[in-house]
Amino acid sequence: MKILLICSAFNSLTQAVYTVLKDRGHQVSVAYAISEVQMLTEIEDFKPQLILCPFLKSYLPESIYENFPTFIVHPGPIGDRGPNALEYALQNHTKEWGVVIFKANKLYDGGDIYAQKNFKVRETSKASLYRQEVVKATSQALEEFFVNLKNNEVTPQILNPIHEHFNQSKRTIDWLKDDTETIIRKIHLSDSFPGVLDEILGVSCYLFGGHKEDKFRGSPKEILAKRNGAICLGTIDGAVWISHLKEVGGFKLPATYVLKEKLVGIKEDRLPLLFDKSYETFFEVSVEKRDNVAYLYFNFHNGAMSAEQCIRLKFAIEYLKGECEVLVLIGGKDFFSNGIHLNILEDSAKQGEDGWANINAMNDLVHSILYADEVVTIASFGHNAGAGGVFMGLACDYVVGKEGVILNPHYKTLGLSGSEYHTYSLPKRVGKEMAGILLDECLPLSVEKAKELGMIDEIYEEKTYYEELHNFAQNTYNDDFIWEKQDYLEKYKEQIEAFKEQELAIMHPEFWSKTSDFHTLRHKFVYKICPMETPARLKLRSNKERVYA
């Protein structure tokens, strides 16, 4: 079936729908919801049999849904109507929520429902709930959708009142009344957009990334400490860490990058390299050990990794090589890794220098993985990964994925050619020709398709993923493997390093040249500037369908 996805952005949910449909053999193209004329033109060009809208921030014109079979994914159960559905679910402590796919008509969220899937609501942020539960429920609902579409089986929408926009007045923190849990909940239901508007040390900004603190105490809103870019503020019953801020009119950054010199005199409270999670606080890197396996967690915000974070992770890997036989890289709660930290580079007064430092720190990290010849290394793609984060995983001896995870193994959409030894690791797994195709097409890839191509060794279901991962990890270590690995790395080290040096030679002007496309594309990405047209790579072209050919 020819299916057109109309969306406001090619976000995680849209990418999940895109890959699910492609994996099922559908012809899929994408159109951004920019203007009525533009959308109608792209509909006419593609001539879809069906239009599906996974993520819309504005109404669809009547000229579309009245003339083409159009369906909308809504992140709420039957009867939920209106914007900010997940905010209301989290505010009301809802235990069960859902996703519906309904036919678009003139009624706001009022069309007949062709599929529904409910899910349990975790105690988490809105963004995490969206990236995990909503994405999974939508993928499952698509199965029911096509069956019901074929049989014309529908459920009438319950036309409940439309809830209003969840504005800042509903998010505002009252530091003299709200306890720590309330503050964290307000930040959670506003993450990752729009954040909670507040004022910190005279700076009007949005708050993101709330974490409970067990040990520090102080007056409400008093800044008590800082750590790895986050700040700790007193509350009426304890303290809370805020990891990120976004100045009004600016973009999201670690909190200390926004407040800068205003934090003079605030102590840096450091944790051990690998935090033991013995109390509640803000931390990024930790380890769990089971049998002969060490699981390394690195929960970096949105998967972005600064030079400093790369160095810390490298030190953690170097240490753990002497503490286990098998080292499994887990990543964070919502992402494995997305590579270098674009927001910090955009904020830098020395963008070329800091960008160069970031990619070299990333390469040093990958080097420590690639040459970890005392242990077996495994990348666990339990969550999405992109750009350098994918290739950091491919540096491991084995790669395991959880069903439904999406990979973006490319760089060019940001004007970069990339490094992280990818010209060695990717062709080694998929062949030189397919490596070139993946890097050139710049499209998302399901782990299921990645396994078919050879990028991934095993895929496990979500329910049993971590137990299956452990069983897999336990069975990988043996002396023969280690000896063969050591011999291989000793024999081919010079050639492997040559791949990296060639990558860096190409990347050097991409960071240092003032006319590099990277600076313009990074600026648009960081400031979330809406594109003026649908990216050509997302439009179906028969001569481009090489990965799924």
Side-chain angles (χ1 to χ4, degrees):
M1 181 180 285
K2 293 183 71 176
I3 301 173
L4 179 66
L5 303 182
I6 294 182
C7 57
S8 296
F10 200 52
N11 69 349
S12 58
L13 179 58
T14 308
Q15 291 185 35
V17 171
Y18 178 90
T19 55
V20 165
L21 296 177
K22 297 277 279 188
D23 286 354
R24 292 178 182 173
H26 297 289
Q27 298 180 64
V28 186
S29 191
V30 177
Y32 279 12
I34 299 170
S35 72
E36 181 175 2
V37 171
Q38 164 261 334
M39 284 186 280
L40 288 171
T41 299
E42 295 192 35
I43 291 170
E44 178 60 30
D45 288 345
F46 184 58
K47 295 179 174 56
Q49 296 166 277
L50 181 149
I51 295 172
L52 190 59
C53 307
F55 174 62
L56 286 178
K57 294 194 289 187
S58 57
Y59 294 107
L60 270 185
E62 183 179 349
S63 57
I64 293 178
Y65 63 73
E66 287 290 350
N67 294 294
F68 306 94
T70 304
F71 299 87
I72 293 176
V73 176
H74 176 71
I78 291 179
D80 180 80
R81 302 176 67 210
N84 305 118
L86 293 180
E87 279 98 326
Y88 282 103
L90 291 171
Q91 183 191 54
N92 296 328
H93 305 281
T94 306
K95 299 301 181 185
E96 186 173 277
W97 202 238
V99 167
V100 296
I101 303 176
F102 61 78
K103 199 168 194 295
N105 62 19
K106 64 181 179 180
L107 295 176
Y108 191 169
D109 293 348
D112 287 338
I113 293 170
Y114 280 72
Q116 59 177 308
K117 183 66 179 179
N118 289 347
F119 56 83
K120 300 295 182 183
V121 178
R122 282 182 298 134
E123 286 290 331
T124 187
S125 70
K126 176 187 67 173
S128 184
L129 196 68
Y130 185 86
R131 292 169 183 147
Q132 296 189 44
E133 279 81 357
V134 170
V135 165
K136 179 184 176 183
T138 301
S139 299
Q140 293 172 337
L142 284 171
E143 297 181 21
E144 179 186 348
F145 170 74
F146 285 106
V147 173
N148 289 342
L149 182 67
K150 180 180 179 180
N151 299 329
N152 197 30
E153 294 183 6
V154 302
T155 301
Q157 172 67 295
I158 300 172
L159 299 178
N160 289 330
I162 298 169
H163 45 69
E164 62 185 8
H165 280 277
F166 202 92
N167 55 35
Q168 282 294 333
S169 67
K170 301 179 188 296
R171 307 177 194 272
T172 302
I173 295 171
D174 186 335
W175 290 90
L176 298 179
K177 293 182 179 179
D178 292 342
D179 60 17
T180 303
E181 295 298 334
T182 301
I183 291 170
I184 291 174
R185 188 165 62 250
K186 287 182 176 181
I187 295 172
H188 274 358
L189 62 83
S190 302
D191 225 341
S192 64
F193 180 84
V196 176
L197 183 61
D198 209 317
E199 185 178 292
I200 307 292
L201 297 180
V203 178
S204 183
C205 53
Y206 296 91
L207 279 53
F208 303 90
H211 303 263
K212 186 179 179 181
E213 166 60 37
D214 273 354
K215 293 189 174 182
F216 288 119
R217 294 293 182 269
S219 302
K221 216 175 181 181
E222 176 190 359
I223 297 184
L224 308 174
K226 57 184 180 178
R227 177 189 300 149
N228 297 332
I231 55 172
C232 185
L233 283 72
T235 66
I236 61 173
D237 65 340
V240 61
W241 288 92
I242 308 295
S243 69
H244 286 69
L245 301 175
K246 184 175 78 170
E247 199 166 355
V248 173
F251 53 91
K252 191 188 300 184
L253 284 164
T256 59
Y257 282 72
V258 174
L259 299 176
K260 294 184 171 70
E261 69 280 352
K262 294 179 181 291
L263 294 173
V264 171
I266 302 298
K267 67 176 181 179
E268 178 81 14
D269 185 75
R270 300 188 183 279
L271 292 175
L273 178 62
L274 295 164
F275 180 55
D276 62 7
K277 296 185 280 190
S278 57
Y279 63 97
E280 289 196 81
T281 191
F282 167 72
F283 66 95
E284 293 179 318
V285 182
S286 63
V287 66
E288 293 180 3
K289 295 180 181 178
R290 182 180 173 190
D291 301 320
N292 64 334
V293 185
Y295 295 92
L296 180 58
Y297 295 80
F298 39 101
N299 191 36
F300 301 132
H301 191 79
N302 287 347
M305 298 170 63
S306 68
E308 184 272 336
Q309 289 168 323
C310 290
I311 292 167
R312 268 194 288 134
L313 195 55
K314 175 183 180 294
F315 287 155
I317 288 170
E318 296 291 350
Y319 169 74
L320 288 172
K321 287 191 297 187
E323 299 291 314
C324 65
E325 292 180 334
V326 181
L327 176 60
V328 182
L329 306 185
I330 295 290
K333 293 179 180 179
D334 288 317
F335 296 97
F336 177 80
S337 169
N338 284 318
I340 63 175
H341 204 307
L342 301 175
N343 288 40
I344 286 180
L345 299 187
E346 182 65 23
D347 180 62
S348 173
K350 300 179 291 182
Q351 293 175 343
E353 182 177 333
D354 286 344
W356 190 242
N358 200 166
I359 194 61
N360 276 281
M362 192 78 184
N363 278 350
D364 288 347
L365 167 60
V366 174
H367 181 279
S368 71
I369 299 168
L370 197 59
Y371 292 98
D373 59 3
E374 310 98 316
V375 297
V376 176
T377 56
I378 301 173
S380 166
F381 286 142
H383 298 296
N384 294 357
V390 174
F391 301 112
M392 179 178 75
L394 295 191
C396 291
D397 300 317
Y398 296 99
V399 183
V400 176
K402 182 168 69 178
E403 62 176 0
V405 165
I406 306 298
L407 307 177
N408 275 281
H410 54 80
Y411 304 92
K412 288 184 180 179
T413 56
L414 282 164
L416 294 175
S417 55
S419 191
E420 292 98 4
Y421 292 82
H422 78 277
T423 53
Y424 162 72
S425 62
L426 186 59
K428 183 182 177 185
R429 281 189 163 268
V430 304
K432 186 174 182 180
E433 182 181 1
M434 180 53 66
I437 291 171
L438 292 168
L439 292 165
D440 181 57
E441 286 193 344
C442 298
L443 293 172
L445 200 66
S446 69
V447 288
E448 289 79 9
K449 188 66 182 181
K451 185 175 187 295
E452 183 182 319
L453 296 176
M455 282 179 65
I456 289 193
D457 299 299
E458 295 292 343
I459 298 173
Y460 299 120
E461 295 180 0
E462 181 179 18
K463 287 183 179 179
T464 59
Y465 179 73
Y466 290 103
E467 193 59 36
E468 295 272 18
L469 172 64
H470 184 68
N471 292 337
F472 177 86
Q474 274 190 302
N475 293 322
T476 57
Y477 185 88
N478 63 73
D479 290 338
D480 287 342
F481 179 90
I482 295 298
W483 294 332
E484 289 174 9
K485 179 179 179 179
Q486 291 171 346
D487 289 344
Y488 177 89
L489 291 172
E490 184 178 356
K491 180 178 180 180
Y492 291 105
K493 182 175 183 179
E494 186 175 337
Q495 292 96 313
I496 294 171
E497 289 303 300
F499 281 108
K500 181 199 73 174
E501 293 303 323
Q502 180 61 27
E503 291 165 5
L504 289 175
I506 297 171
M507 288 200 84
H508 188 272
E510 295 171 349
F511 284 112
W512 289 96
S513 173
K514 292 183 179 180
T515 60
S516 168
D517 288 342
F518 173 57
H519 302 307
T520 301
L521 294 170
R522 183 192 65 240
H523 179 83
K524 290 180 178 179
F525 174 84
V526 165
Y527 278 95
K528 303 187 186 303
I529 296 173
C530 295
M532 300 302 293
E533 59 184 6
T534 304
R537 66 191 174 90
L538 302 181
K539 297 181 180 181
L540 181 67
R541 295 288 184 271
S542 59
N543 63 346
K544 282 189 66 182
E545 287 301 290
R546 295 177 288 176
V547 170
Y548 283 86

PDB file of all heavy atoms in Angstrom, residues 94 344 358 542:
ATOM      1  N   THR A  94      -2.873   9.259  36.422  1.00  0.00           N
ATOM      2  CA  THR A  94      -3.570   8.192  35.714  1.00  0.00           C
ATOM      3  C   THR A  94      -2.723   6.922  35.683  1.00  0.00           C
ATOM      4  O   THR A  94      -1.528   6.967  35.398  1.00  0.00           O
ATOM      5  CB  THR A  94      -3.879   8.637  34.269  1.00  0.00           C
ATOM      6  OG1 THR A  94      -4.595   9.878  34.308  1.00  0.00           O
ATOM      7  CG2 THR A  94      -4.705   7.598  33.543  1.00  0.00           C
ATOM      8  N   ILE A 344      25.800  22.167  23.247  1.00  0.00           N
ATOM      9  CA  ILE A 344      26.977  22.764  23.876  1.00  0.00           C
ATOM     10  C   ILE A 344      27.878  23.407  22.823  1.00  0.00           C
ATOM     11  O   ILE A 344      28.432  24.498  23.037  1.00  0.00           O
ATOM     12  CB  ILE A 344      27.740  21.713  24.699  1.00  0.00           C
ATOM     13  CG1 ILE A 344      26.963  21.416  25.993  1.00  0.00           C
ATOM     14  CG2 ILE A 344      29.155  22.180  25.022  1.00  0.00           C
ATOM     15  CD1 ILE A 344      27.605  20.395  26.896  1.00  0.00           C
ATOM     16  N   ASN A 358      35.337  17.632  20.962  1.00  0.00           N
ATOM     17  CA  ASN A 358      34.252  16.692  21.214  1.00  0.00           C
ATOM     18  C   ASN A 358      34.391  15.440  20.361  1.00  0.00           C
ATOM     19  O   ASN A 358      34.278  14.309  20.859  1.00  0.00           O
ATOM     20  CB  ASN A 358      32.908  17.369  20.970  1.00  0.00           C
ATOM     21  CG  ASN A 358      31.726  16.681  21.642  1.00  0.00           C
ATOM     22  OD1 ASN A 358      30.635  17.230  21.757  1.00  0.00           O
ATOM     23  ND2 ASN A 358      31.912  15.458  22.102  1.00  0.00           N
ATOM     24  N   SER A 542      11.890   5.813  -6.236  1.00  0.00           N
ATOM     25  CA  SER A 542      12.148   4.411  -6.559  1.00  0.00           C
ATOM     26  C   SER A 542      13.640   4.121  -6.659  1.00  0.00           C
ATOM     27  O   SER A 542      14.110   3.063  -6.255  1.00  0.00           O
ATOM     28  CB  SER A 542      11.460   4.031  -7.869  1.00  0.00           C
ATOM     29  OG  SER A 542      11.916   4.853  -8.935  1.00  0.00           O
TER      30      SER A 542
END
